[in-house]
Structures are given as structure tokens and as C-alpha cells.
């Protein structure tokens, strides 16, 4: 399988897993030493990432990837996370190496998250 | 060692105009190398805008085809910008906030995210602009708020815009009120008094000097009765004021053409057009006695030339102008437009009073402040002082 296709397969698996609230699937594809950073006002590690994605997945009516930009070592994604009272947008930058995601950087629209996903990161 | 590159990214001719004063100021300061990255479709018009400043596009990043399988223009643009910056990584990226809405929406957010992806600091011009319509605010401003989260320095046109950012928990130290570079650009272009590019305007303005009323009726909702109200008002004013001249931008399309032809076609001192170049528009605003407009883009420019504005429609640009007294909000109704126009055209004192407090959108030095802020971000200069409150210093008096 070409490297780019394999990389996109990893990304698709990760995205499909977290949107479907498959925490085991997300954990499987994250590298053991994955680096995670986000702009939420809370500390983050791989387990906190998994739990936050879980909370989004169960609270949102739908989560849709609205933009996708592949790069040689990863991908940038923009999601629309549709909650009962409104939509929050999130950008995510993933780095993939050796079949695992080695870096996750998330940028949330904090105003919309606070309004439409209350308590997302202060539980 | 040559100066490090700063990439200024724009999609439309209007954005190129917003970026041009910053590029000129960066070039003049010599601390950083400005590189204009143009992503829009209207390259010829963009070139014309930049040429007025002695600039030209340095890098062309082609946008996705308008009708194609590219259903994700933002993703395509992000990918193309990332490819550019993988091999030619700038020290900083400058994006106009205007590029985060409307025609160029994919460009602005794509540029901000692509830069953030490469950990390149993002400087946003005209930052903090948000929809004034609360009902639409959250949906329409999603891209702007997301871009704000990856912006390193937020340069705002007005204190209101700065407050919007503070309300979104952007640290105060990352926000600077610089004024809008649109004001710098308009003043620079109008001041050169270049020959009119549009022949109809050149002909109309070649005669004896007459008071000019510039009418811009281009908003998509200015149709039918609203357009009729504006056209009838123009007709009444021109017939009553035998020395006044009108240049009007009408909506495109056969219905609007027929409408304008029927109501204004027999009048000598009225020039009706569907488009004007940025240079022509700036010069016309500078020479007008009154601007009547249903779009917000021109509202920030007029006060710099002492031109009061009758705004026919609410726009996001309007609150500061209303607050400062530079503009009046008037419905698209003939009687109202005629009454307010008469009130101002009859009295130079009233006109001057509306703009005596200065321009709340800028003092003509925003480009210089943006260039200095970019240099300060990279440790090459001290941070600039914010724009003083309008009315406290003469226009263009301080750095």
C-alpha cells in the first residue's frame, strides 16, 4: 500500500472511531508517546483527549469533517460539531508515522464550545 | 543575511488593497521582506490594485476551480499553502480579517490554519470584526473565531473590534488597535489623483467642478421597491439641484438596468455604472460632498475625506460610524433619503460637523503600525503604540 494511502487509512480510522464514540479504536491508533496539545483551558494527555472526544461524540447530534488537507506527514481537518442548540467548529492537525498518530493538535472555537458543549473540559 | 520573509496572503482585490499599505511599510522599514501571496481568481484586478502602490503579486497560489469536484475549497487552499510553506517557510503570515468572510472566506481561514500547522505566527489585520446581527452571529463568525484562536497578534481597526476579541478570551496583550489599512490605502490612492480608469466617470468629472453625490446601491437586497426608492430619490435631488452631479453604482442585471434607465436615463448629470475600480472609487469618495451607500465597505473610508455618509442598510462596519456621528442610518425610502441629503447638501457646517471628530476606523498609519507589530513579534523592533482615539491628534500626525 502506498505510504500516503496508508497514512490516510490511519487518519480515517481515527476520525471514524472518535466520531462513532469507539474509544478503543482511538486508543489503538494513537502512538504510545503521542503528543497532544489543544487550546482548551485544561491540561491534556492522550487519555484526556480520548475522554474529551468521547464527550463530544455522545453529546453532538452529528460530527462532520468539512475540510481536509493532506500533507506528506499528516493531515489538517476542520470539523463541524453539531450540538442540540448550535454548531462548534474545530480544527485538528494530525501527524502520522509508522501507522500511528504521533501528534494531535486541536484548535476549538472556544466561544461556540462554551455555549453549545457546556462542561466539555471541566469535568 | 537577507531579511526574513513575511507572507501577506489575500484572495480578492479588496484584500490586496488592505495588505498593500503593510507591504509598503514593511518594505520601507527594511527589517522584513514582504511577499504578497495572491490566492484569488481576479488576478488582473488584483494586479491593478497593487500597481497603484508600486507592488505586484510575488507568489500566485491558484484557487480551486469554481465548479468542479473540489467541494472543499478551504481544504484545497490549505493544502496548497502548506505545500508553499513547506519549502518557503515565512517568519510570519499576515492575513486580513476581511478574508475570513464573504467571497474570499476559504482563503483567510485556510491561510491562518496552514500557518498554524507549520507553527508560523499569524498576524491578522482588521481582526475582531464580528456580525452585528445577533441572530446570525454564531454561524457567520465561526471561521473568524476559529482563525482568532490561531492568530498570534490581532490588529484591530477599532476599539469595538478589540472588545470583541477580549470577550472571546483573547489575551489583551495580543490585541492592538491599529486602525484599518483600508483607510491608509484609500488616502494614498486618492491623494495621487490618478486619471480615472472608467471612461464614463472621466468624462463626467472633466467638466466644471460641481458638488458630487456618490450613490452606491449594490446590496443584494436593494431590489424592487428598495431600488425604486433610491433611484427616485436620486432623480428628485438631481432635478432640484441644478449644479449637482451624481455617480451611481447600481446592482448588476437586466432588471436593475431597466429600472435605472427608466428613472435616470434622461438626466444629464447622472452617471450610472455597475462596477468601479478601487482607485476610481477612492478618488470619487474623496471628491464627494455626500456618500449614500448600502454597503459597509466604503463607510470607513469616507470620514477621512470629510465626507458624511447616509447608510441605506445596516452593516457590520456601521456602529462606529454611527457612534462617532460620521454616518446616519436611513431607510431605502425616497422621502427619507431626499430629506437627509438635502439637510446635508444645504449646509457645509452640518457636513463638516459629522466628520469633525476624525475617522474612528483609522488615522492613515495602520500599515506602519502593522509592519512594526510584525517586526516586534519577531524581536526586530519595539511594539508600536496603539492608534490614538479619534479627534485627539490631527490625521496622519503621529507614528
Amino acid at each position: 500500500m502506498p505510504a500516503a494511502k496508508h497514512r490516510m487509512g490511519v487518519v480515517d480510522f481515527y476520525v471514524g472511531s472518535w466520531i462513532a464514540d469507539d474509544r478503543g479504536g482511538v486508543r489503538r491508533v494513537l502512538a504510545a508517546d503521542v503528543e497532544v496539545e489543544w487550546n482548551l483551558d485544561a491540561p491534556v494527555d492522550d487519555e484526556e483527549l480520548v475522554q474529551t472526544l468521547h464527550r463530544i461524540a455522545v453529546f453532538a447530534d452529528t460530527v462532520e469533517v468539512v475540510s481536509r488537507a493532506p500533507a506528506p506527514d499528516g493531515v489538517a481537518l476542520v470539523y463541524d460539531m453539531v450540538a442540540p442548540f448550535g454548531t462548534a467548529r474545530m480544527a485538528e492537525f494530525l501527524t502520522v508515522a509508522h501507522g500511528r498518530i504521533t501528534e494531535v493538535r486541536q484548535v476549538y472555537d472556544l466561544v461556540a464550545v462554551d455555549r453549545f458543549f457546556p462542561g466539555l473540559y471541566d469535568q | 543575511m537577507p531579511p526574513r520573509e513575511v507572507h501577506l496572503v489575500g484572495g480578492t482585490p479588496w484584500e490586496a488593497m488592505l495588505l498593500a499599505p503593510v507591504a509598503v511599510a514593511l518594505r520601507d522599514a527594511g527589517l522584513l521582506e514582504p511577499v504578497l501571496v495572491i490566492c484569488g481568481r481576479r488576478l488582473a484586478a488584483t494586479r491593478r490594485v497593487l500597481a497603484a502602490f508600486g507592488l505586484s503579486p510575488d507568489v500566485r497560489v491558484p484557487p480551486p476551480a469554481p465548479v468542479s469536484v473540489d467541494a472543499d475549497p478551504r481544504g484545497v487552499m490549505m493544502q496548497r499553502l502548506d505545500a508553499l510553506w513547506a519549502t518557503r517557510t515565512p517568519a510570519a503570515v499576515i492575513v486580513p480579517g476581511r478574508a475570513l468572510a464573504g467571497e474570499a472566506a476559504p482563503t483567510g481561514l485556510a491561510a491562518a490554519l496552514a500557518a498554524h500547522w507549520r507553527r508560523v505566527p499569524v498576524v491578522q489585520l482588521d481582526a475582531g470584526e464580528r456580525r452585528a446581527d445577533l441572530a446570525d452571529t454564531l454561524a457567520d463568525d465561526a471561521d473568524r473565531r476559529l482563525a482568532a484562536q490561531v492568530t498570534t497578534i490581532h490588529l484591530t481597526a477599532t476599539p469595538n473590534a478589540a472588545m470583541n476579541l477580549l470577550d472571546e478570551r483573547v489575551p489583551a496583550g495580543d490585541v492592538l488597535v491599529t486602525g484599518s489599512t483600508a483607510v491608509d490605502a484609500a488616502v494614498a490612492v486618492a491623494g495621487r489623483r490618478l486619471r480615472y480608469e472608467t471612461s464614463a466617470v472621466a468624462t463626467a468629472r472633466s467638466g466644471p467642478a460641481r458638488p458630487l453625490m456618490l450613490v452606491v446601491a449594490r446590496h443584494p437586497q436593494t431590489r424592487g421597491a428598495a431600488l425604486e426608492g433610491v433611484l427616485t430619490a436620486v432623480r428628485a435631488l438631481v432635478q432640484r439641484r441644478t449644479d449637482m452631479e451624481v455617480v451611481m453604482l447600481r446592482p448588476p442585471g437586466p432588471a436593475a438596468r431597466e429600472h435605472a434607465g427608466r428613472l435616470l436615463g434622461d438626466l444629464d448629470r447622472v452617471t450610472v455604472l455597475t462596477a468601479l475600480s478601487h482607485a476610481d472609487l477612492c478618488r470619487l469618495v474623496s471628491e464627494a460632498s455626500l456618500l449614500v451607500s448600502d454597503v459597509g465597505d466604503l463607510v470607513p473610508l469616507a470620514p477621512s475625506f470629510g465626507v458624511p455618509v447616509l447608510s441605506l442598510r445596516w452593516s457590520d462596519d456601521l456602529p462606529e460610524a454611527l457612534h462617532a456621528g460620521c454616518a446616519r442610518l436611513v431607510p431605502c425610502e425616497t422621502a427619507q433619503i431626499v430629506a437627509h441629503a438635502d439637510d446635508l447638501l444645504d449646509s457645509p457646517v452640518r457636513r463638516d460637523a459629522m466628520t469633525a471628530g476624525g475617522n474612528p476606523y483609522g488615522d492613515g498609519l495602520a500599515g506602519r503600525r502593522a509592519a512594526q507589530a510584525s517586526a516586534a513579534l519577531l524581536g526586530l523592533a519595539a511594539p508600536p503604540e496603539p492608534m490614538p482615539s479619534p479627534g485627539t491628534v490631527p490625521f496622519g500626525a503621529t507614528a
Side-chain angles (χ1 to χ4, degrees):
Chain A
M1 183 186 287
K5 197 171 175 187
H6 184 243
R7 201 165 43 247
M8 284 305 115
V10 172
V11 169
D12 289 341
F13 184 83
Y14 164 82
V15 171
S17 296
W18 89 253
I19 290 176
D21 191 27
D22 175 3
R23 280 174 278 182
V26 175
R27 287 192 188 96
R28 260 201 305 284
V29 82
L30 293 177
D33 58 348
V34 61
E35 290 183 22
V36 186
E37 55 183 90
W38 62 21
N39 64 333
L40 299 176
D41 188 14
V44 63
D45 57 19
D46 52 349
E47 191 52 32
E48 189 56 38
L49 170 73
V50 171
Q51 293 304 327
T52 300
L53 293 176
H54 155 68
R55 288 195 284 270
I56 294 170
V58 295
F59 189 74
D61 292 335
T62 61
V63 177
E64 184 188 0
V65 176
V66 293
S67 285
R68 170 187 286 253
D73 59 349
V75 67
L77 303 160
V78 179
Y79 300 90
D80 270 352
M81 309 181 301
V82 183
F85 295 104
T87 302
R89 190 158 282 180
M90 186 258 282
E92 186 171 52
F93 307 93
L94 305 174
T95 303
V96 180
H98 310 298
R100 292 284 184 277
I101 293 172
T102 57
E103 185 181 81
V104 180
R105 293 163 63 198
Q106 293 184 330
V107 180
Y108 290 85
D109 172 355
L110 294 180
V111 174
V113 163
D114 286 351
R115 188 167 300 188
F116 301 132
F117 290 82
L120 175 67
Y121 54 92
D122 55 7
Q123 293 179 12
Chain B
M1 196 168 88
R4 287 190 283 169
E5 288 186 353
V6 171
H7 287 197
L8 301 93
V9 186
T12 64
W14 190 267
E15 288 162 33
M17 178 272 293
L18 294 172
L19 293 168
V22 187
V24 170
L26 283 167
R27 190 182 58 190
D28 291 349
L31 297 171
L32 293 161
E33 178 68 30
V35 174
L36 284 157
V37 180
I38 301 302
C39 307
R41 289 193 185 88
R42 292 151 60 195
L43 189 58
T46 304
R47 278 187 194 283
R48 277 200 301 277
V49 167
L50 293 175
F53 297 87
L55 302 167
S56 59
D58 296 298
V59 177
R60 169 94 171 118
V61 176
V67 180
S68 74
V69 292
D70 293 328
D72 177 15
R74 184 172 36 218
V76 172
M77 190 52 70
M78 222 188 312
Q79 192 176 1
R80 290 177 182 175
L81 287 168
D82 181 66
L84 167 69
W85 292 334
T87 55
R88 188 174 174 177
T89 310
V93 166
I94 300 179
V95 183
R98 197 54 67 127
L100 294 159
E103 178 190 356
T107 305
L109 185 61
L113 292 178
H116 181 74
W117 198 3
R118 295 252 156 220
R119 298 190 187 276
V120 174
V122 177
V123 178
Q124 196 182 135
L125 308 176
D126 282 349
E129 289 187 1
R130 298 291 182 267
R131 289 276 303 196
D133 182 348
L134 286 177
D136 292 336
T137 289
L138 278 167
D140 276 16
D141 284 343
D143 280 358
R144 287 169 165 169
R145 286 195 311 272
L146 195 55
Q149 292 297 322
V150 298
T151 296
T152 315
I153 303 181
H154 310 254
L155 306 177
T156 73
T158 64
N160 278 355
M163 287 304 297
N164 288 337
L165 292 165
L166 301 186
D167 287 346
E168 294 173 10
R169 292 190 281 161
V170 172
D174 297 344
V175 180
L176 182 73
V177 181
T178 56
S180 173
T181 55
V183 175
D184 302 29
V187 171
V189 169
R192 276 179 214 140
R193 309 195 73 73
L194 301 169
R195 205 160 47 87
Y196 281 110
E197 296 172 13
T198 310
S199 58
V201 177
T203 305
R205 299 297 293 160
S206 62
R210 286 193 288 233
L212 169 69
M213 183 169 78
L214 178 61
V215 181
V216 179
R218 297 274 297 170
H219 194 281
Q221 290 174 11
T222 305
R223 294 283 188 274
L227 183 58
E228 174 103 13
V230 178
L231 293 168
T232 308
V234 170
R235 182 175 184 84
L237 286 163
V238 170
Q239 285 181 326
R240 189 179 314 174
R241 298 176 169 276
T242 53
D243 65 335
M244 191 179 75
E245 186 176 335
V246 172
V247 174
M248 177 174 182
L249 273 179
R250 65 160 175 84
R257 184 177 60 223
E258 186 277 326
H259 215 151
R262 181 160 47 81
L263 286 168
L264 302 177
D266 62 328
L267 299 176
D268 287 338
R269 287 168 286 115
V270 179
T271 306
V272 181
L273 306 155
T274 54
L276 275 171
S277 70
H278 172 254
D280 283 359
L281 209 46
C282 288
R283 185 166 171 196
L284 283 170
V285 172
S286 75
E287 293 178 352
S289 299
L290 179 64
L291 169 64
V292 181
S293 176
D294 67 349
V295 293
D297 286 348
L298 298 180
V299 172
L301 313 185
S304 290
F305 303 109
V307 179
V309 180
L310 296 184
S311 181
L312 300 176
R313 201 168 291 282
W314 179 264
S315 77
D316 301 341
D317 294 297
L318 205 52
E320 289 87 354
L322 291 175
H323 183 69
C326 312
R328 297 181 187 175
L329 185 57
V330 177
C332 289
E333 294 168 10
T334 302
Q336 294 268 5
I337 297 169
V338 169
H340 282 277
D342 272 340
D343 184 46
L344 292 170
L345 291 168
D346 282 342
S347 170
V349 174
R350 284 201 191 97
R351 291 203 303 272
D352 291 347
M354 282 182 72
T355 55
N359 188 341
Y361 301 97
D363 61 355
L365 299 168
R368 228 186 283 177
R369 290 191 190 96
Q372 190 178 340
S374 304
L377 169 70
L378 301 168
L380 301 172
E385 292 295 320
M387 178 178 76
S389 296
T392 57
V393 289
F395 185 87
T398 61

